[in-house]
Amino acid sequence: MNKIIFPLSSGETGCHRLDPIVKEQLKAKPSTGGFYEDYSPAAEDIDIPGARASATYGIDISADVEVQSFNIPCGTHYLPARRYRLPKASRRVILYLHGGGFTVGSIAHKDAQCRYLAETSRSTVISLEYRLAPENPYPAAIEDTITALHYCSNLKPEKLIIGGDSAGGCLAANAIQQGSIPVDYAFFIYAALDLASASQMKDPWSYSFYVCEEAEKPLVYNRLNRFRKLAEDIKVLYLQNNTDPLSELVSPCRIQNVSRFPKSLFVIAEYDYYRFCNEAFAQRLEWQNIDSEILFYEGVDHGFFDRLGSLPQAKSCIEEIGLRIQRL
């Protein structure tokens, strides 16, 4: 399996230290409470409006990308979507799924990223506004993704690609496994591939897995703790009606038969809560003779992709994905 390691924005590599830009951003983050305290939220106590209002927007660095808003029919409702492409794009189509813990985020929050992806890949990008929990719990977002994948397939593309970040990466994997449309390539940006609690994960999660400087541990642990708690929020808000997070229909890292997966790219952040399930899933594909590749970004955290225009690694990530799609 090919693994490419990307250094800090300062050019340093192999130092197991927070990127200087990320470090300053994390200093401004509020405390998430005790790192080891029990956390069992009730739905009414989770601040969904606050989370939706605080989502991060990237900065548009693209040029000459045409953008069109439209709707995709899906049963009794319509799915808002945006189409991004250069004036002379190829006939490759990318279905993109935004992140946000299945409860937050929108096509607007990944507008800059999709513009730049369309430019660097020279492909048409379809960004999907899938339904969010808790208003629309599992499996609504998966159903929407599969419907959108059918729509993209009906465009008769030269190559069909699917990808997403965080929850969007999970939905991309869900759609590959559960849908009927074969895809030619997939990319997963720090995908939420295991929705179990930290103690229930396929490979039980621990802060001790992360190597960092002693002085930076409070910042790293605070960031990781946010996602340890988010995993519990997801169980309450997205996995309603006693949906089992250990099911392979929910958590892609638990899929037994991965034969439906195409050649895949995994973008992994050194200080990401979901780092290890992504590494394990990439290895699983390799064991089944499915080509997989890892882009490993040192010193950054979950969400670095959101900071296009302010964090060099976000720009690098899109360029690397775009280059690989051009080569298909």
Side-chain angles (χ1 to χ4, degrees), residues 14 64 66 92 131 163 296 324:
D64 299 325
E66 299 172 349
R92 294 182 295 264
R131 288 172 292 170
F296 187 90
R324 284 157 177 78

Side-chain angles (χ1 to χ4, degrees), residues 28-305:
K29 298 286 184 182
S31 171
T32 54
F35 298 141
Y36 298 97
E37 68 182 5
D38 289 335
Y39 179 70
S40 301
E44 59 268 24
D45 295 328
I46 301 173
D47 184 11
I48 300 169
R52 289 177 177 173
S54 63
T56 302
Y57 290 81
I59 299 170
D60 182 18
I61 60 172
S62 66
D64 299 325
V65 175
E66 299 172 349
V67 183
Q68 178 186 8
S69 296
F70 66 104
N71 295 310
I72 299 174
C74 181
T76 59
H77 63 282
Y78 286 85
L79 301 171
R82 284 184 189 170
R83 180 184 291 108
Y84 302 83
R85 59 187 170 195
L86 295 173
K88 294 184 179 180
S90 74
R91 292 188 60 250
R92 294 182 295 264
V93 173
I94 303 166
L95 175 61
Y96 188 80
L97 295 315
H98 68 78
F102 307 94
T103 61
V104 174
S106 69
I107 53 179
H109 294 120
K110 290 297 184 296
D111 181 76
Q113 287 84 349
C114 287
R115 288 173 184 265
Y116 197 49
L117 178 60
E119 180 179 308
T120 59
S121 68
R122 307 198 68 81
S123 306
T124 296
V125 176
I126 304 293
S127 181
L128 180 67
E129 191 85 78
Y130 56 85
R131 288 172 292 170
L132 298 177
E135 298 88 346
N136 298 282
Y138 169 92
I142 298 174
E143 294 169 351
D144 292 350
T145 302
I146 292 173
T147 295
L149 195 56
H150 275 272
Y151 172 86
C152 293
S153 177
N154 288 337
L155 298 176
K156 306 299 182 185
E158 178 183 281
K159 298 288 183 180
L160 180 58
I161 301 106
I162 190 170
D165 66 288
S166 195
C170 179
L171 294 173
N174 292 146
I176 291 170
Q177 178 67 8
Q178 299 173 41
S180 59
I181 301 297
V183 298
D184 298 294
Y185 190 72
F187 60 91
F188 306 98
I189 303 169
Y190 45 68
L193 297 179
D194 195 342
L195 301 189
S197 301
S199 60
Q200 295 178 303
M201 279 188 163
K202 195 170 180 64
D203 298 302
W205 183 92
S206 170
Y207 293 103
S208 65
F209 295 162
Y210 299 86
V211 180
C212 59
E213 293 186 346
E214 194 67 30
E216 292 184 343
K217 280 186 177 179
L219 292 175
V220 172
Y221 284 14
N222 191 54
R223 186 62 172 159
L224 293 171
N225 193 38
R226 178 179 181 273
F227 287 90
R228 181 182 71 90
K229 290 185 171 183
L230 178 61
E232 300 300 327
D233 292 347
I234 288 172
K235 287 170 65 177
V236 173
L237 300 175
Y238 176 58
L239 303 181
Q240 299 177 27
N241 305 314
N242 296 314
T243 300
D244 184 5
L246 305 185
S247 166
E248 67 173 38
L249 298 177
V250 174
S251 294
C253 73
R254 299 172 185 273
I255 294 171
Q256 295 299 308
N257 181 357
V258 296
S259 61
R260 290 185 57 83
F261 280 79
K263 181 177 182 179
S264 298
L265 176 68
F266 295 82
V267 177
I268 294 176
E270 182 173 13
Y271 297 119
D272 174 33
Y273 176 83
Y274 295 108
R275 168 185 164 183
F276 302 102
C277 61
N278 277 263
E279 290 176 332
F281 196 66
Q283 187 63 69
R284 169 85 70 78
L285 295 186
E286 279 290 316
W287 288 338
Q288 297 298 317
N289 297 315
I290 299 170
D291 287 344
S292 64
E293 184 178 17
I294 289 176
L295 306 183
F296 187 90
Y297 284 85
E298 295 186 324
V300 296
D301 62 331
H302 191 103
F304 83 87
F305 183 71

